[in-house]
Structures are given as structure tokens and as C-alpha cells.
Amino acid sequence: MALINEHFLKLTRSYLFSDIAKKVNTFRVTHPRQDIIRLGIGDVTRPLPKTCIEAMHKAVEELANKDTFRGYGPEQGYDFLIDAILKNDFAPRGIHLSASEIFVNDGAKSDTGNIGDILRHDNSVGVTDPIYPVYIDSNVMCGRAGVLEEETGKWSNVTYMPCTSENNFTPEIPDKRIDIIYLCYPNNPTGTTLTKPELKKWVDYALANDTLILFDAAYEAYIQEEGVPHSIYEIRGAKKCAIEFRSFSKTAGFTGVRCGYTVVPKELTAATLKGERIPLNKLWNRRQCTKFNGTSYITQRAAEAIYSPEGKEQIKETIQYYMTNARIMKEGLEATGLNVYGGVNAPYLWVKTPKGISSWRFFEQMLYEANIVGTPGVGFGPSGEGYIRLTAFGDRNDCIKAMKRIKNWL
Ligand code: PLP
């Protein structure tokens, strides 16, 4: 008899976005003539940059020819992409990494979930709250999260660091030591960022407490303001305590193409039970070589094209399109008297529900009365209660129309 991994049974009933989809479907069936505007799910809508399309076509032609055909590539990614990453994403910021510290993947979701493979099941975990659900669910799956406390909606082995308007979405440094801490900046779902001095406090905490920081920088390309760190390695000492996850999904519209990368510095180590220090780069490399066969050649050529002069221009244009949406939405929502956070260095707007109504109640009111779909904040964690997330990834006209509707509605 095969036994299952029973930790999977602990996962909460259903994924947030399927709950939302069900509610939206019910509305559609009962109100077939209403025009719904979706400002909920965090998927991009603009097409791929032209230069990426051209690079993919060229790569397909290479694969069609016996002399240029390629089969399995390196598990860690092709040198041409890793070189482009090092030269463009890190060197200009004074960060010097070697090629073997970069692991190209099929997107940040896989690696933020898979990284737990190389870490013991009984490490303590800390998350900012609210947060991208993958961090917690992937820890639940291997038993690391402990048990769910029904009353609070929190897991017993997870420390939640609230980020709310009361603390200006700046999590407080824990007063105890935690083995693994997830940080995501610019943040999904709140759209807020940390300054360099604020991020430095986390690196200092990690170095002092022998904590591993898992830093998700999937929205780095959306940073508009000076002084907001694009990489945790801008902070001295971070190579000794942090892994960084990057993604081309939101940077270049790769949500369907699938490519990102993980940085595991050579200096970073963690301990065995006996106290021996082991480089995590070595462990992650071993894990990848066994369980991952590399990102497709066509995809990596497309990712490389992002770093060409035309590629840089084209992705900038698309990001500006979304960030203009964000500005229109922020101004529109604020004009109605709502308190709105984020939307300046991230494509997410985090809106406080009026009069203390719950996230789900506000979600339903907005759906039924304004025909707009958002994402209930509580779906991202207990501290998300009383907020709703709107995304700027939609069509410009829809954003403008949605703001008019909200103004009339409220
Ligand atoms: N990290 C965060 C914070 C995200 O919001 C997302 C996607 O929404 C991801 C990672 C996953 O990105 P990818 O498409 O690269 O898997």
C-alpha cells in the first residue's frame, strides 16, 4: 500500500483564485448582461516584446536544422543568458556574482516552492503578512508549517509579521530568532517597498541570528523611485544570508512563456544538525541536476533578448503602460475617499475597505454593485483582512472605466 504525504491534507480547502472564479461565475450566470471588469488576478495582458518574438522564431529555426539543433541544455541555464543577467541585472548595481551562482528556471513560483527541498523540515519559518500564498503552502506540504490554528488562520510553526497601514507596511524585526524568513519586495499583494536602510535591518538581523532570507524580487522591474533596492545583494553581507528569486513574468510578459532565475551565492551556508556548515549553492545545484532538466532553449533565447537595447526599450514601454494604469487607478480611488497603498513601485494597489467592512464583503459588493472583480486581501493572510487588492495589469480603457464606476458607486 502506498501511503500519501498527509501534510497535503492540511492545506486549506481551496485556492483563493478558484473561490473568486466561482463567485464571479455565479454572478455571470445570474447577471448575463453585465459587463465585468477584472482587476483581480495578477496576470499580464500586453503582448511579448517584439524582440523576444524574433529571438524565439530564430531559435525555432535553429532547432529545425541538423547543424544548429540543441537537445538537453545545462540544468543551470545557458551561458548566454546567465552572462546577460550578470552584466545587466547585477554589475551596474555594483553586485558581482559568478555564473555558477545563477540558476535559470521556469519561473519564480517553482523555485520559491522548491527551495524547501534543501532545508530541514523542522526549521522555523517567518513571513510578512499578508503574503504570496506559495511560501506558506509549500511549507505546509512538507510539514514545516506545523498545524493550522483555526481561530487565527495561522500555522503553528510560522511567525507572522503583520504589514498594515498602522505600521506603514514595514514589518517589525522579530524579537526572537527564526531560521528562514521570506521577504518579497516590491510586495505582492500590498504593492509596498522597503528602503535600503529598512532592508539592511533585515540583513543585519539575519547575519546576527544565522537566519536564511528567501528574497522574492519578482516585481523588481516596476521600481520607479530612487532609494528602493532592486536586489537584496545591494546590502552588504546579504550574500552570506540570502537567496534571491527573479522572474521574467512581470518584467517582460513571460507568464505564459515561463522563465526566471534564482541566485544562490557561494558564500551562503547553512548547518547540519552537528553544526557543519554546508554551501547551499552546492545543495541547490545537486537538487536541480536531479529534478530539473533546464528551461527550453527557445525560452532562454527570448529571455536573453530582453537585455538587448531594443528589448530594454520595449519592456520599459510595457511597464510604463501598467504603471500609468496604476497611477490612474490610485488617483481615481483616492478621489473617492478610499485609502490606497502601493501602486508607485509595483503594479498592485492595496485598498482599505471603507467602514471596516470585511475583504470578502467588499469584494462581493464591488462585484454586484460596480461589476468589478478585485482580490479579497484576507486571501493573502490574516493581516490582509479589511483590504482588497487591485492590479494594474489590465487594459487602459478598462482601468478608466472601472474608476468611473467606483466613483459613481461610492
Ligand atoms: N513571486 C511573487 C511574489 C508573485 O506574485 C508571483 C506571481 O504572481 C510569482 C513569484 C511567480 O512568478 P512566476 O510567473 O515567475 O512563476
Side-chain angles (χ1 to χ4, degrees):
M1 178 173 56
L3 299 175
I4 63 158
N5 174 354
E6 293 194 25
H7 297 303
F8 274 63
L9 302 179
K10 296 185 205 158
L11 288 164
T12 41
R13 183 179 47 86
S14 127
Y15 192 54
L16 172 67
F17 291 104
S18 51
D19 279 353
I20 294 171
K22 273 185 217 146
K23 286 188 193 280
V24 174
N25 267 340
T26 307
F27 176 79
R28 273 196 345 185
V29 170
T30 52
H31 303 76
R33 285 208 214 105
Q34 302 294 35
D35 163 40
I36 298 173
I37 300 177
R38 294 170 187 274
L39 301 179
I41 295 185
D43 197 359
V44 293
T45 55
R46 309 292 294 167
L48 288 173
K50 233 182 176 169
T51 171
C52 296
I53 300 290
E54 287 161 7
M56 288 168 106
H57 279 299
K58 190 162 164 260
V60 170
E61 290 303 324
E62 284 179 54
L63 298 188
N65 187 319
K66 181 171 79 58
D67 297 328
T68 48
F69 172 77
R70 298 188 189 224
Y72 291 125
E75 290 91 347
Q76 303 82 355
Y78 282 104
D79 284 345
F80 60 78
L81 177 55
I82 293 176
D83 285 350
I85 289 169
L86 295 175
K87 282 195 190 114
N88 291 280
D89 287 347
F90 296 104
R93 301 192 187 284
I95 301 163
H96 298 287
L97 293 161
S98 67
S100 55
E101 293 173 303
I102 306 289
F103 295 85
V104 175
N105 60 26
D106 62 353
K109 188 191 239 185
S110 313
D111 280 7
T112 50
N114 290 334
I115 197 73
D117 275 14
I118 62 168
L119 301 164
R120 247 180 86 97
H121 67 282
D122 51 1
N123 280 295
S124 57
V125 175
V127 292
T128 55
D129 174 33
I131 200 65
Y132 179 54
V134 171
Y135 309 152
I136 295 201
D137 284 359
S138 57
N139 279 293
V140 173
M141 287 174 177
C142 66
R144 200 180 290 119
V147 290
L148 183 65
E149 295 155 1
E150 294 287 346
E151 231 167 72
T152 57
K154 295 181 178 177
W155 294 86
S156 59
N157 196 34
V158 178
T159 299
Y160 291 74
M161 300 171 281
C163 296
T164 61
S165 58
E166 281 78 35
N167 63 6
N168 203 21
F169 301 93
T170 309
E172 225 173 90
I173 301 285
D175 53 11
K176 59 177 181 187
R177 73 162 302 283
I178 299 172
D179 299 315
I180 303 166
I181 288 182
Y182 290 82
L183 294 178
C184 171
Y185 289 100
N187 187 259
N188 175 16
T190 66
T192 58
T193 50
L194 291 185
T195 61
K196 237 182 208 179
E198 283 163 352
L199 186 57
K200 182 177 182 304
K201 285 187 197 162
W202 286 96
V203 171
D204 290 346
Y205 166 87
L207 293 172
N209 289 280
D210 205 353
T211 296
L212 172 64
I213 295 179
L214 300 176
F215 190 78
D216 187 343
Y219 297 94
E220 164 275 333
Y222 286 80
I223 295 172
Q224 311 286 311
E225 293 181 321
E226 294 291 320
V228 179
H230 288 245
S231 165
I232 194 164
Y233 306 119
E234 289 177 41
I235 314 290
R236 193 188 291 263
K239 282 189 195 168
K240 285 195 162 59
C241 64
I243 290 176
E244 181 164 298
F245 304 93
R246 293 279 188 110
S247 169
F248 297 113
S249 284
K250 309 298 160 64
T251 303
F254 273 43
T255 52
V257 176
R258 310 303 307 146
C259 195
Y261 63 90
T262 297
V263 185
V264 189
K266 290 261 174 73
E267 295 167 45
L268 179 64
T269 63
T272 63
L273 263 191
K274 287 190 178 149
E276 187 193 352
R277 304 298 301 196
I278 307 288
L280 292 184
N281 181 288
K282 197 171 112 187
L283 286 193
W284 184 245
N285 189 44
R286 189 70 180 83
R287 188 266 172 211
Q288 288 299 81
C289 290
T290 297
K291 290 196 178 180
F292 185 61
N293 242 344
T295 306
S296 85
Y297 175 68
I298 301 167
T299 298
Q300 291 191 61
R301 280 294 184 198
E304 179 196 22
I306 296 166
Y307 296 106
S308 66
E310 312 80 63
K312 284 181 188 168
E313 264 315 298
Q314 289 163 16
I315 63 170
K316 200 164 137 198
E317 220 170 89
T318 305
I319 288 171
Q320 283 318 314
Y321 179 92
Y322 294 135
M323 290 313 288
T324 303
N325 284 352
R327 182 178 52 73
I328 291 168
M329 291 166 69
K330 196 172 170 75
E331 287 170 4
L333 295 163
E334 281 173 346
T336 66
L338 287 167
N339 288 322
V340 186
Y341 307 94
V344 176
N345 294 301
Y348 294 119
L349 292 102
W350 191 241
V351 184
K352 193 146 182 69
T353 61
K355 300 181 203 128
I357 336 176
S358 76
S359 295
W360 276 109
R361 180 101 190 91
F362 191 72
F363 165 86
E364 295 203 353
Q365 284 179 352
M366 199 165 70
L367 175 61
Y368 279 78
E369 294 166 24
N371 309 151
I372 294 170
V373 182
T375 310
V378 71
F380 298 98
S383 296
E385 181 55 284
Y387 293 88
I388 195 147
R389 189 192 74 172
L390 300 181
T391 84
F393 287 127
D395 181 77
R396 175 71 43 78
N397 288 333
D398 280 349
C399 291
I400 295 170
K401 204 155 77 176
M403 292 310 107
K404 279 194 190 137
R405 281 194 199 169
I406 290 181
K407 189 173 166 210
N408 292 337
W409 168 48
L410 289 174

